[in-house]
Amino acid sequence: MLWKTSPAATELEQLTLDWLRQLVGLRQSWFGIITDTASISSMLAIAAARERRPELEIRQRGMAGRVDLPTMRVYCSEHAHSSIDKGAIALGLGAENVVHVGADADYRMRPDALSSAIEADLARGMLPLAVVATVGTTSTTSIDPVPEIVQVCRRHDVWLHVDAAYGGVAAVVPELRFIMDGVDEADSLVMNPHKWLLTPMDCSALYTRHPQVLKRAFALVPDYLVTSVGDEAVDFMNYGVQLGHRFRALKLWAVMRSFGADGLASVIRQHCALATQFEGWIRSNDQWEVVAPTTLSVVCFRYKASDAVNMAILDRVNCSGRVYLSHTKLHGRVVLRLAIGNARTDERHVGEAWRLLQQEAQQAASNEPAAPARG
């Protein structure tokens, strides 16, 4: 909880997060803290966005029963993770005040639609509080146009949080660093080493360029926690809800020390290459289709048949125990997803997945009841 009770743990966390910052090419001005998941990291970021408006007096007066507060709004892509909605619910903003902005043909948030939504809310007397841009959406791994979104946020003085929980760590690969374009101008950022940086679960890196705002949202120091160190050291208890702070940095530090910058880049580069190879196999077979751009290590595809057949294929492949795939829905259609993220995954595993998919597709299609005759 305090630097004084665990200085080595505190300072190793600061060091490790600084290494991660350097690996993805961010400036030195970012302050980091490790939480359990991106859901909590994003919620803390939205809380900081609210605290950035001290005139609201949320910390002292709360929100209940107040008629002097404007309706506060949070904006994200229609393909943003559901944790953004959950965070708004937990903070008392309300699910209906999360505005899901429309996306383009590649499933990226449209900056013009974002600007229009903010302007419409301002005209109605609402308060645009925060925008959440995504670098690697859950369904398709699409990358929102952060540089353009930054301009919209600056024009309207809105906090920008970047959810790069999955995609952000891909920037450790020098030729993929472009995915973080514009992120240095955001106000907060989350990346999850436990998603794609070979780190065990329960390691989410929350960064902000405004640590004093985050601290102001949560710091509460009773007499029994006052130390002689004062503000000279970082006390992680001041940057979130929990008093105790788990020593999550050690496993990330161990991964970085074991693989090194080049080793981590090599693993992620190979994952992306395997995804591209799998996408090529899909495109070469006219019974299948790719339904979203393959930007990183996830491929979105479907068998050219009904949703029921695609779900049957998914169930049959997963029940084989050989591979595990997931699904989503895009434009109301079931879409299958192959995600590559394990350090030991290689071409033979991806090839096994493709073999099973083709095998089970034929079986599932043959079992589908014929459509009733018309007329």
Side-chain angles (χ1 to χ4, degrees):
M1 64 186 83
L2 295 162
W3 176 90
K4 193 167 186 177
T5 61
S6 49
T10 299
E11 294 188 19
L12 186 67
E13 181 163 334
Q14 292 178 279
L15 173 69
T16 303
L17 290 180
D18 190 61
W19 284 355
L20 180 59
R21 174 195 62 78
Q22 294 178 57
L23 279 175
V24 299
L26 293 174
R27 291 196 296 257
Q28 196 171 359
S29 55
W30 291 86
F31 168 85
I33 181 172
I34 298 179
T35 73
D36 53 357
T37 61
S39 299
I40 295 300
S41 292
S42 292
M43 185 177 73
L44 297 181
I46 296 171
R50 188 174 62 183
E51 187 59 32
R52 181 173 169 265
R53 305 278 184 171
E55 70 276 10
L56 299 176
E57 300 182 291
I58 299 296
R59 180 182 169 104
Q60 293 301 321
R61 298 179 58 196
M63 296 172 62
R66 291 180 59 182
V67 296
D68 61 318
L69 282 179
T71 299
M72 289 170 268
R73 306 277 269 179
V74 174
Y75 308 82
C76 62
S77 164
E78 61 182 313
H79 297 287
H81 194 271
S82 59
S83 61
I84 305 305
D85 298 75
K86 278 190 173 184
I89 293 169
L91 291 168
L93 301 176
E96 68 180 28
N97 290 312
V98 178
V99 181
H100 295 96
V101 178
D104 63 16
D106 290 334
Y107 306 101
R108 302 172 302 185
M109 185 197 295
R110 289 173 42 211
D112 61 325
L114 171 64
S115 185
S116 296
I118 291 175
E119 289 166 5
D121 285 347
L122 286 169
R124 293 192 292 165
M126 295 178 168
L127 176 60
L129 196 65
V131 171
V132 180
T134 307
V135 174
T137 57
T138 302
S139 287
T140 67
T141 71
S142 57
I143 300 169
D144 289 339
V146 178
E148 291 85 353
I149 294 171
V150 165
Q151 296 304 313
V152 174
C153 291
R154 294 298 165 260
R155 188 161 62 245
H156 296 290
D157 191 26
V158 180
W159 181 286
L160 175 58
H161 175 61
V162 176
D163 178 359
Y166 160 69
V169 299
V172 306
V173 183
E175 63 267 29
L176 294 179
R177 194 158 290 176
F178 69 90
I179 68 170
M180 297 290 272
D181 286 352
V183 172
D184 248 333
E185 306 304 320
D187 299 288
S188 55
L189 160 72
V190 60
M191 294 182 289
N192 278 7
H194 68 224
K195 275 194 170 69
W196 196 15
L197 205 63
L198 315 181
T199 306
M201 185 67 184
D202 195 43
C203 186
S204 175
L206 170 64
Y207 290 90
T208 180
R209 292 194 300 113
H210 312 286
Q212 291 307 312
V213 177
L214 181 61
K215 184 177 180 179
R216 195 168 68 223
F218 294 105
L220 186 64
V221 185
D223 287 339
Y224 48 80
L225 292 176
V226 174
T227 70
S228 58
V229 178
D231 292 332
E232 297 176 13
V234 171
D235 294 329
F236 283 130
M237 70 175 187
N238 291 329
Y239 298 92
V241 176
Q242 297 97 330
L243 178 61
H245 188 74
R246 290 187 58 194
F247 187 25
R248 300 179 175 95
L250 184 59
K251 54 192 172 186
L252 177 56
W253 177 88
V255 167
M256 291 172 138
R257 290 287 290 164
S258 296
F259 284 84
D262 291 343
L264 291 171
S266 177
V267 170
I268 290 176
R269 186 183 291 116
Q270 173 69 0
H271 289 169
C272 292
L274 288 171
T276 299
Q277 184 175 14
F278 182 82
E279 179 192 27
W281 294 339
I282 295 290
R283 292 190 184 279
S284 68
N285 189 314
D286 59 10
Q287 293 182 301
W288 298 81
E289 60 181 327
V290 175
V291 296
T294 302
T295 54
L296 296 170
S297 69
V298 172
V299 185
C300 295
F301 61 99
R302 59 178 278 124
Y303 189 62
K304 292 180 180 178
S306 68
D307 285 353
V309 167
N310 276 275
M311 288 304 297
I313 295 169
L314 180 70
D315 289 342
R316 294 176 69 93
V317 168
N318 287 345
C319 285
S320 73
R322 302 294 300 164
V323 298
Y324 187 81
L325 307 183
S326 60
H327 79 286
T328 187
K329 278 195 173 182
L330 297 173
H331 300 303
R333 297 192 308 167
V334 169
V335 173
L336 308 183
R337 299 169 69 253
L338 178 134
I340 303 167
N342 190 282
R344 296 182 181 274
T345 298
D346 58 32
E347 183 178 345
R348 63 193 170 93
H349 300 111
V350 179
E352 174 77 351
W354 179 226
R355 184 190 67 77
L356 283 169
L357 282 161
Q358 294 177 92
Q359 171 186 304
E360 300 305 341
Q362 296 299 324
Q363 188 66 39
S366 66
N367 291 339
E368 185 179 32
R374 294 186 178 181

